[in-house]
Amino acid sequence: MSLVLDPAAQDLLFREARTANTFTDEPVTDEQVQAIYDLVKFGPTAFNQSPLRVVLVRSAEGRERLVQHMAEGNRPKTATAPLVAILAADNEFHEELPALLPHFPQAKDLFFAERPVRESAAGLNAALQAAYFIIGVRAAGLAAGPMTGYDAAGIQKEFLDGDHTPLMVVNIGKPGEDAWFPRSPRLSYDEVIKTV
């Protein structure tokens, strides 16, 4: 059985998409970001908890503050991308659950009353949403450059607070010259999929 999704869309989202390392100076608009969010917000999370929070870094001052916390090899990419997004997990996501899960509002206190439980759930589910976000960036015809090479404590202190844990920094824009490294190998179907 083949996939229902058009092959060109499959290429755009997966086969031809890669992490971009250079970008043009074409801006990424608020309308594009809104369209990305309005698509990816429908991706599933446990209890519809939706713990992903995004800080968009657009200003030169914000960019300068962020670049100092990036690993050395990631600094030039972050300094020149048209838009940079800090993706974080909200460890107090449970406060939104009565609105997000109206048929089961007691889930807030029944399952997520304790902070360690919330942190674990937020980390997993925000990571799912981060993956949706990257696919959404690609669906908008843009390239994403997700990175985890940074000083997490520094980014948290500079841009977030104690209730938000940084997950990744994503450079966003149209790919520039020599944007792609050669594609790395992937595991085969038989190496990943087992039937019992």
Side-chain angles (χ1 to χ4, degrees):
M1 178 177 158
S2 62
L3 299 174
V4 173
L5 190 64
D6 179 86
Q10 295 173 38
D11 288 342
L12 177 71
L13 300 179
F14 293 101
R15 284 192 289 261
E16 298 299 325
R18 302 197 206 156
T19 295
N21 295 288
T22 67
F23 298 88
T24 69
D25 59 3
E26 182 178 330
V28 176
T29 67
D30 289 335
E31 292 77 17
Q32 287 173 300
V33 177
Q34 179 79 52
I36 291 165
Y37 177 71
D38 285 342
L39 174 65
V40 304
K41 69 183 178 184
F42 294 109
T45 58
F47 292 97
N48 197 32
Q49 59 191 248
S50 306
L52 182 70
R53 302 295 180 265
V54 181
V55 176
L56 297 177
V57 181
R58 287 194 182 279
S59 70
E61 179 266 337
R63 187 73 56 103
E64 188 175 311
R65 288 169 43 213
L66 177 58
V67 166
Q68 69 180 338
H69 297 293
M70 300 304 294
E72 189 66 37
N74 290 333
R75 289 179 179 176
K77 297 182 267 191
T78 302
T80 58
L83 179 64
V84 183
I86 300 169
L87 276 51
D90 181 359
N91 298 305
E92 297 299 313
F93 69 86
H94 69 307
E95 296 296 343
E96 306 293 339
L97 279 181
L100 293 172
L101 202 65
H103 63 281
F104 189 25
Q106 62 270 33
K108 172 185 181 246
D109 298 316
L110 189 61
F111 295 108
F112 301 110
E114 297 184 20
R115 176 70 179 235
V117 173
R118 289 196 305 275
E119 288 179 354
S120 177
L124 172 62
N125 287 279
L128 279 173
Q129 288 186 285
Y132 304 147
F133 182 84
I134 292 166
I135 299 301
V137 168
R138 293 172 176 179
L142 301 168
M147 301 169 294
T148 56
Y150 53 76
D151 171 14
I155 287 180
Q156 184 177 38
K157 182 177 179 183
E158 191 81 33
F159 294 94
L160 304 168
D161 59 34
D163 290 332
H164 295 81
T165 303
L167 297 174
M168 66 182 68
V169 173
V170 183
N171 297 323
I172 303 169
K174 291 285 188 181
E177 190 173 335
D178 298 321
W180 321 116
F181 295 146
R183 182 172 296 283
S184 296
R186 298 298 193 266
L187 295 174
S188 72
Y189 178 92
D190 292 332
E191 292 172 305
V192 174
I193 308 297
K194 303 296 178 198
T195 302
V196 294

